[in-house]
Amino acid sequence: MIDEKKQNTEEVDLVKEQEIDLMEVVRKIWSKRKFIYKVCGIALLAGLVVAFSIPKEYTTAVKLSSERTNSRSGGNLSSLAAMAGINLSSSNSDALSDQIYPDVMASTPFLKELFKVQVKNKKGNTTLYNYLLNDYRLPWWSSIFKGVFSIPSKIIGLFKNKEKDSNEIDPEYLSKDDRRVISALSENLNLSVDQKTGVMDLAVTMQDPNICAQVTDTVIANLQKYITTYRTNKARKDLVYSQKLYEEAKSAYTKAQNEYANFTDANQNLILHSYRAEQERLQNEMNLAYQTYSQTSQQLQAAKAKVQENTPAFAVIQPSIVPMRASKPRKMIILIGFLFLGFVGACAWVYFEDQIKEWKKQITAQETIVEQK
């Protein structure tokens, strides 16, 4: 019993000490409130500078959906299984899944197609490449950091040999400017796909609201073109092959028909068995050629229908609209963040100020002892 009372007493004393320490911290911070006010004011001023130094950016959001192409193998069995809640069409004939669309849009070939897009800004008509490279504004500190970090590369470039033949251009080569524009595009283009509904949410961010809407329309058109080209690629190849077979069969049928007609016209009054045999042979060849011609004609029509069947239908749920309000920067969030960091930093300095001074005194004392020895 005595041990339990001592333990309870120690716990109560510990709680009191913690309460006393907390009250001391509060008193200490309150005594330095003027210093904390000054630090918060400086942090708020820095937040204002940062918030107004970041250029405004506008975002255009678009919703669109594309027709999903599933495998139709299984016939009535798949339909009955679907009614029973069982999905037998697990194998998709279309290898391009909806979830791959964001990767397609972020790919280098897709982004390079946007380089030559004509846009109109305050200076006039230009390409999207030149706009992002020359007219896209950055915060002032980005220019400083860029200038400082580019000094070593410039020094190294002085010792490198220049290219012997500037006319030899590698189409797969990307210059620093190309990489810079591609990086800007990949950051400003965002695409997400809902797995359940297949609805695609496209968001394009630019510093000019008109250019933002123009680029959004172009990205939608290029994405639709890419998806359509991919999904109809096999069907279009089959169509070209069917067209070739059709032309060959038509030419063979026309040739056989002309040979039969010429032979018949030239031998109308003859009743020889050799004549009849040759006429029968030419007629059979003409009939065979006609059957092949008829089959290839049907195959050609089926191939055309297959291309149309595989062409996906797109529906734009929310079209692109020129944004009126800037989406970035969020000045209020920046100000609150700087104010919070200033307040926390000032309170931490006030709390550890005495310990820091004590550490400085100990370091100074040790250095003095070392110098005396």
Side-chain angles (χ1 to χ4, degrees), residues 5-69:
K5 290 182 179 180
K6 287 183 178 180
Q7 186 176 0
N8 293 333
T9 305
E10 291 177 356
E11 291 178 356
V12 172
D13 293 338
L14 181 60
V15 172
K16 289 182 178 180
E17 289 178 359
Q18 292 178 352
E19 292 178 354
I20 292 172
D21 293 339
L22 182 60
M23 292 303 296
E24 288 181 356
V25 171
V26 173
R27 291 194 190 97
K28 193 173 184 180
I29 293 176
W30 180 253
S31 63
K32 298 287 186 177
R33 60 184 181 277
K34 292 184 179 180
F35 170 75
I36 295 175
Y37 292 157
K38 291 181 181 178
V39 173
C40 289
I42 295 173
L44 189 62
L45 183 61
L48 288 172
V49 173
V50 171
F52 284 95
S53 297
I54 300 176
K56 291 183 179 180
E57 292 184 342
Y58 299 84
T59 300
T60 298
V62 174
K63 285 182 178 291
L64 67 153
S65 63
S66 64
E67 180 184 7
R68 292 183 172 182
T69 307

Side-chain angles (χ1 to χ4, degrees), residues 116-258:
K116 297 181 180 180
V117 175
Q118 293 292 324
V119 295
K120 185 177 181 181
N121 58 359
K122 296 180 180 178
K123 297 181 180 180
N125 295 327
T126 183
T127 61
L128 182 61
Y129 181 87
N130 292 330
Y131 169 74
L132 292 176
L133 191 63
N134 302 319
D135 300 334
Y136 212 74
R137 294 177 289 113
L138 297 174
W140 53 268
W141 57 81
S142 298
S143 301
I144 296 175
F145 291 150
K146 182 180 178 182
V148 172
F149 288 111
S150 64
I151 292 176
S153 61
K154 291 181 179 179
I155 296 175
I156 295 173
L158 296 176
F159 298 95
K160 287 185 177 180
N161 295 327
K162 295 183 178 180
E163 296 181 357
K164 295 181 180 180
D165 189 1
S166 59
N167 294 325
E168 296 180 0
I169 299 176
D170 186 0
E172 300 299 328
Y173 174 76
L174 293 177
S175 64
K176 291 183 178 179
D177 293 339
D178 295 342
R179 296 179 186 274
R180 177 181 167 188
V181 173
I182 288 177
S183 177
L185 284 173
S186 61
E187 292 177 359
N188 294 336
L189 302 180
N190 294 312
L191 179 66
S192 60
V193 182
D194 191 340
Q195 296 183 2
K196 295 181 179 179
T197 62
V199 175
M200 294 179 284
D201 293 322
L202 174 64
V204 178
T205 303
M206 292 286 167
Q207 292 181 357
D208 190 303
N210 294 319
I211 293 179
C212 185
Q214 296 174 21
V215 173
T216 302
D217 293 335
T218 304
V219 169
I220 292 175
N222 288 0
L223 188 62
Q224 292 177 351
K225 179 181 177 182
Y226 183 91
I227 296 172
T228 302
T229 302
Y230 183 88
R231 287 186 172 178
T232 60
N233 187 30
K234 178 66 168 56
R236 284 185 290 106
K237 288 182 178 179
D238 293 342
L239 176 60
V240 172
Y241 182 70
S242 298
Q243 184 72 33
K244 180 181 178 181
L245 293 179
Y246 171 78
E247 296 294 338
E248 292 176 354
K250 182 179 180 181
S251 177
Y253 170 66
T254 303
K255 181 179 179 181
Q257 189 180 34
N258 291 333

